[in-house]
Amino acid sequence: MEDSMPYSAIEDVQLLSWENAPKYCLQLTFPGGTVLLQAANSYLRDQWFHSLQWKKKIYKYKKVLSNPNRWEVVLKEIRSLVDMALTSPLQDDSIHQAPLEIVSKLLSESINLTTQEHESIIVAIAPLLENNHPPPDLCEFFCKHCRERPRSMVVIEVFTPVVQRILKHNMDFGKCPRLRLFTQEYILALNELNAGMEVVKKFIHSMHGPTANCPHPRVLPNLVAVCLAAIYSCYEEFINSRDNSPSLKEIRNGCQQQCDRKPNIPLRLLHTNPDLVSQEVTSADSRHKTVIVTSNEVHVEVERNNTVNQKLKANTGNDSEPNLIDCLLISPACSTMSIELSPQAERVLECYVEILKILSDYDDWRPALASLLQPIPFPKEALAHETFTKELKYVIQRFAEDPRQEVHSCLLSVRAGKDGWFQLYSPGGVACDDDGELFASMVHILMGSCYKTKKFLLSLAENKLGPCMLLALRGNQTMVEILCLMLEYNIIENNDTQLQIISTLESTDVGKRMYEQLCDRQRELKELQRKGGPTRLTLPSKSTDADLARLLSSGSFGNLENLSLAFTNVTSACAEQLIKLPSLKQLNLWSTQFGDAGLRVLSEHLTTLQVLNLCETPVTDAGLLALSSMKSLCSLNMNSTKLSADTYEDLKAKLPNLKEVDVRYTEAW
C-alpha cells in the first residue's frame, strides 16, 4: 500500500465471514460506500487486514503527536503507540521503525522539554530499541541527554542495551555516523560516573564476554572505530587549519614562502622554549643550519647536517610527498613540543586512549587490534602530541611482547615506503622517550620471527645503525646480538664501520663474549665449508638437532649436495646448521618436526636448493609462501601438509623451474 492512500478516510476494515461471502475477502468502509478486496489465500488476506489496521492507527498517532498540547497526553499516546507496535502480528522492520521516527520527529520539533519529560519519553520507547537501531534524529537526542545528564539512570538502564546492540550488529559506521557519535557520547557519560574508567572497563568486559574468545566479531572493529573518531575529534581544530600550512614537501625542504600565504591564525601547538619561535637561526658553521617552519598548526624544526643533506640530495627531483615519520622527526633542541588541548578534549583523549589500552589486554582481540592500527590511522597532529604518544606506548608495548607473529609483525609498515610503529618509537622517531628500550624490545621480537632476517638487518644497518651501536655500548644484549649478526651475514661492507662495530662489541663484557663466540663460529664455518667430504649424507632415525650440529662440526662438508634427515627428530632449529652448507642441492625432511620458522630461514639462505621433501611435516601456508624466493626449486614434495589451494597456485606462478610437485592429501589435491 502506498503512503499516498487516504487511510484517514477508511472508517472500518472487516474480514468477511458470512456464509456465502467470497473467499479471502476484506471489506473497507468509506463515507461514500464500501470496497471489497480479494486475496489469493488466507495468509495474504490477514496480512492486508493487519497492514491496513496498522496504517490507519499510525496515521492517527502522527496526527495526534504532530500538535502536542499537554505532555501527559503526549506521553500516554507514545506508550500506546509503542504497545501497538509490540503487539502487531506483522513481521516487518518498519513496524518498529515507524513509531521511532514519529517520536524522533516530535523531539526534534519540541525544544522546550524538561529533563523529566526527556527521560519519560526515553523510558517509554525503550522496548522498541531492544531490537532496532535508533534513527539519526533520535541519536542526536540521546547524545544531548548523555552530554547534559551523564549521571542519569537512563544512561545505564536504557542506553546500555542499545549501545551493546549497536556494537554487536553494526556493520558500517560510515553509513550511520550518528550511531557512532551516540556510542561515543555514551562511553564518555560512563566515564563521568564516580567510578570513571572502572565503569567503562566493566562495560568493555561485558561486550567481550566471560570466555577467552569474544563471540561477537563486530565488537572490536566498532569499538576501534569509535575510539579513532573520538581521538580525531580532539585534534580537529588543528586538522581543519591545514589549508594555510606548508605542505609536507615544503616542510621537508625547509621552504618558507610565508609571503604567499594568508596570515597565520592563532597557534595552539607551542614550544616550551619561546626562543625557538623564529623564522631562521643560522650558526657560524654553514654546514649546521636550523630552520623552523612556522605554520598555523605546527612548528617543525629541521636540523640539516651532512647526513640530512645527503638524504635531501638523494631525494632531489622526487615529486612524491615525504613519509609521515620523516615529517615528524625533530632535532633534540625542539623535541619538547606540546599541543594545548581544551580541558574537554583532554578528557576525551584520556578516555579513548585508555580504552585502546584495555582492548590490547585481551589476547583474542590483540591480533585484530594490531592489524587495525598497523597503517597508523591517527592524524599527524596526534603523533606530534607528546601526551598521546606517551599514553599509546602501552599498546605498542603489548604488541611487542606478544609472541604471535600476526601481532608483532604489525609493528612494521604495511608496505615499502610507509613508516610504521617501529619507526615511530625508534630512536630519532618523534615518539621515542625511553632511550631505545621499546625499540630494543621490538627488534628482539621481530628478529625472533621475521623470515626476511637479512632484509631486516639491512634496514637496521641503513637507518638505525647509530642507535643500535649506542644501545650495544650500554650493554643491551639484543643490540649486541644484532651487531654480531650484521658481521656474520656480511651486512656491513665498509671496513671502517666494521671496525667501529667490533670496537663497540669489545667495550662491554657481554659484547666481548658474543664477539668471541662469533669468531669461533666463523672459524668452524670455514672448516665446515672447506672443500672435500661426502656428497651424500643420511642421518640415522631419531637423530636430533644436537646430533646434526655435532656431526657437521666434526669435519668438512663443502661438497655435500644431498642431505637426508627423513624420520629424524630435527626441528626448525636445525636450519641454522643447514644454511652453512654451500653446495646443498637436495634436502629430505620427510616426517620430521621441521616447521614454518625453519622454512623462512632456508628460503633466505639456500636459494640454490633444487629438491625439497616436506612430506608429513607440520609446515603451513605461512612458511610455504616463503619458498617463492627459491627460484631454483625443480622438485617439491608437500604431501600430507597443511597446504591450501591458493598457496599452491601462488607457488606455481612464482617458481618457474618447478616440474615435480606432490600435493596429495592436501587441500590443493
Side-chain angles (χ1 to χ4, degrees), residues 506-626:
E506 292 181 335
S507 63
T508 63
D509 291 339
V510 63
K512 189 180 297 183
R513 184 177 69 254
M514 296 187 71
Y515 180 63
E516 290 175 355
Q517 293 173 355
L518 170 63
C519 293
D520 292 340
R521 289 200 304 272
Q522 293 286 16
R523 283 192 289 270
E524 292 174 1
L525 179 62
K526 288 181 180 178
E527 181 64 27
L528 173 67
Q529 294 181 341
R530 195 175 61 187
K531 290 298 181 181
T535 59
R536 301 174 64 89
L537 180 64
T538 300
L539 250 68
S541 175
K542 307 302 180 182
S543 297
T544 64
D545 295 330
D547 296 328
L548 175 63
R550 195 178 301 111
L551 175 65
L552 293 181
S553 64
S554 64
S556 300
F557 292 91
N559 290 340
L560 186 62
E561 297 181 356
N562 187 322
L563 175 61
S564 175
L565 303 176
F567 305 103
T568 65
N569 293 332
V570 298
T571 66
S572 295
C574 75
E576 295 297 331
Q577 303 297 326
L578 298 178
I579 62 176
K580 299 174 183 178
L581 301 172
S583 303
L584 192 62
K585 292 182 174 58
Q586 301 179 34
L587 178 60
N588 187 351
L589 295 168
W590 188 2
S591 193
T592 65
Q593 293 303 308
F594 198 89
D596 293 338
L599 279 187
R600 291 170 186 144
V601 176
L602 295 185
S603 66
E604 187 176 351
H605 295 271
L606 296 182
T607 54
T608 59
L609 197 66
Q610 297 177 0
V611 179
L612 180 60
N613 188 344
L614 298 172
C615 179
E616 297 181 9
T617 58
V619 294
T620 66
D621 286 347
L624 292 170
L625 281 172

Side-chain angles (χ1 to χ4, degrees), residues 184 227-237 239 345 348 379:
Q184 179 179 326
C227 291
L228 296 182
I231 293 171
Y232 183 92
S233 69
C234 296
Y235 301 94
E236 198 162 8
E237 177 183 347
I239 296 169
V348 172

Side-chain angles (χ1 to χ4, degrees), residues 105-249:
K105 182 178 179 182
L106 170 66
L107 293 173
S108 65
E109 294 174 352
S110 304
I111 59 176
N112 298 321
L113 296 178
T114 65
T115 301
Q116 185 60 40
E117 289 167 345
H118 273 190
E119 295 190 354
S120 298
I121 292 174
I122 293 172
V123 172
I125 63 175
L128 293 179
L129 296 172
E130 292 180 1
N131 297 306
N132 298 275
H133 289 335
D137 290 339
L138 203 55
C139 285
E140 291 283 356
F141 176 70
F142 290 169
C143 289
K144 181 180 178 182
H145 190 82
C146 287
R147 286 191 293 266
E148 296 177 354
R149 299 267 298 171
R151 296 174 181 267
S152 168
M153 289 305 296
V154 167
V155 173
I156 299 295
E157 295 179 357
V158 178
F159 289 168
T160 297
V162 177
V163 173
Q164 286 177 333
R165 186 180 188 281
I166 291 172
L167 292 174
K168 290 177 181 177
H169 301 289
N170 177 69
M171 297 301 295
D172 185 5
F173 275 131
K175 296 179 180 178
C176 41
R178 294 188 187 180
L179 286 178
R180 183 188 63 212
L181 185 61
F182 167 48
T183 306
Q184 179 179 326
E185 294 292 346
Y186 165 79
I187 293 176
L188 290 175
L190 293 184
N191 193 41
E192 292 294 325
L193 298 177
N194 291 336
M197 283 307 301
E198 283 301 315
V199 181
V200 176
K201 189 172 183 178
K202 288 179 180 178
F203 171 74
I204 294 175
H205 182 70
S206 71
M207 296 304 306
H208 179 275
T211 59
N213 295 300
C214 178
H216 304 287
R218 290 301 308 167
V219 169
L220 178 67
N222 285 334
L223 278 172
V224 172
V226 171
C227 291
L228 296 182
I231 293 171
Y232 183 92
S233 69
C234 296
Y235 301 94
E236 198 162 8
E237 177 183 347
F238 309 110
I239 296 169
N240 291 339
S241 64
R242 286 180 184 171
D243 291 342
N244 194 36
S245 63
S247 69
L248 297 182
K249 186 185 292 185

Side-chain angles (χ1 to χ4, degrees), residues 246-540:
S247 69
L248 297 182
K249 186 185 292 185
E250 289 171 329
I251 292 175
R252 162 69 69 81
N253 296 332
C255 193
Q256 298 299 303
Q257 302 297 329
Q258 291 293 326
C259 58
D260 297 333
R261 299 187 180 280
K262 298 178 285 185
N264 286 341
I265 64 174
L267 297 175
R268 299 186 68 187
L269 179 54
L270 306 173
H271 292 290
T272 55
N273 184 357
D275 296 333
L276 291 175
V277 183
S278 60
Q279 281 292 339
E280 189 173 302
V281 180
T282 309
S283 64
D285 187 354
S286 61
R287 293 174 299 174
H288 185 279
K289 185 177 179 182
T290 301
V291 178
I292 296 180
V293 181
T294 306
S295 74
N296 41 338
E297 85 270 24
V298 64
H299 291 297
V300 179
E301 184 178 31
V302 183
E303 199 174 41
R304 287 191 275 181
N305 51 27
N306 291 337
T307 304
V308 177
N309 278 331
Q310 291 173 5
K311 283 189 176 182
L312 290 176
K313 288 177 182 178
N315 290 332
T316 302
N318 186 0
D319 293 334
S320 62
E321 292 285 347
N323 60 45
L324 176 63
I325 306 303
D326 282 346
C327 295
L328 294 173
L329 288 179
I330 51 179
S331 66
C334 190
S335 61
T336 53
M337 291 199 306
S338 61
I339 293 180
E340 183 184 336
L341 296 178
S342 66
Q344 174 62 19
E346 287 282 0
R347 287 194 295 272
V348 172
L349 182 66
E350 181 183 359
C351 174
Y352 282 98
V353 174
E354 191 65 30
I355 290 175
L356 290 176
K357 293 181 184 180
I358 295 171
L359 297 179
S360 69
D361 285 334
Y362 288 93
D363 288 340
D364 61 315
W365 275 352
R366 203 174 300 131
L369 178 63
S371 178
L372 290 170
L373 297 185
Q374 185 180 16
I376 306 188
F378 304 105
K380 65 179 182 181
E381 289 78 5
L383 300 177
H385 189 192
E386 183 180 0
T387 302
F388 173 75
T389 54
K390 185 176 293 186
E391 292 299 318
L392 192 68
K393 182 180 176 181
Y394 177 85
V395 179
I396 307 305
Q397 284 177 323
R398 297 295 285 160
F399 295 163
E401 294 167 358
D402 197 301
R404 291 171 291 184
Q405 185 184 1
E406 58 183 323
V407 177
H408 58 248
S409 64
C410 291
L411 295 169
L412 300 173
S413 58
V414 179
R415 59 183 182 275
K418 294 291 183 180
D419 288 309
W421 296 113
F422 178 77
Q423 289 80 8
L424 189 65
Y425 280 91
S426 62
V430 69
C432 183
D433 62 351
D434 59 1
D435 293 331
E437 293 178 10
L438 177 57
F439 170 68
S441 176
M442 291 191 290
V443 170
H444 177 75
I445 195 72
L446 289 169
M447 282 298 297
S449 66
C450 185
Y451 69 92
K452 293 186 177 178
T453 307
K454 270 191 176 178
K455 185 177 180 180
F456 187 60
L457 288 172
L458 280 169
S459 175
L460 288 177
E462 291 174 2
N463 304 308
K464 301 296 177 184
L465 183 58
C468 289
M469 292 176 65
L470 179 61
L471 290 170
L473 195 62
R474 294 173 178 174
N476 185 285
Q477 186 168 344
T478 298
M479 291 304 149
V480 170
E481 293 176 4
I482 291 295
L483 294 183
C484 288
L485 285 172
M486 287 181 179
L487 293 176
E488 186 173 1
Y489 291 161
N490 296 319
I491 300 296
I492 307 297
E493 296 180 357
N494 185 282
N495 290 333
D496 291 336
T497 305
Q498 289 181 359
L499 292 174
Q500 187 176 355
I501 291 176
I502 293 172
S503 299
T504 301
L505 292 172
E506 292 181 335
S507 63
T508 63
D509 291 339
V510 63
K512 189 180 297 183
R513 184 177 69 254
M514 296 187 71
Y515 180 63
E516 290 175 355
Q517 293 173 355
L518 170 63
C519 293
D520 292 340
R521 289 200 304 272
Q522 293 286 16
R523 283 192 289 270
E524 292 174 1
L525 179 62
K526 288 181 180 178
E527 181 64 27
L528 173 67
Q529 294 181 341
R530 195 175 61 187
K531 290 298 181 181
T535 59
R536 301 174 64 89
L537 180 64
T538 300
L539 250 68

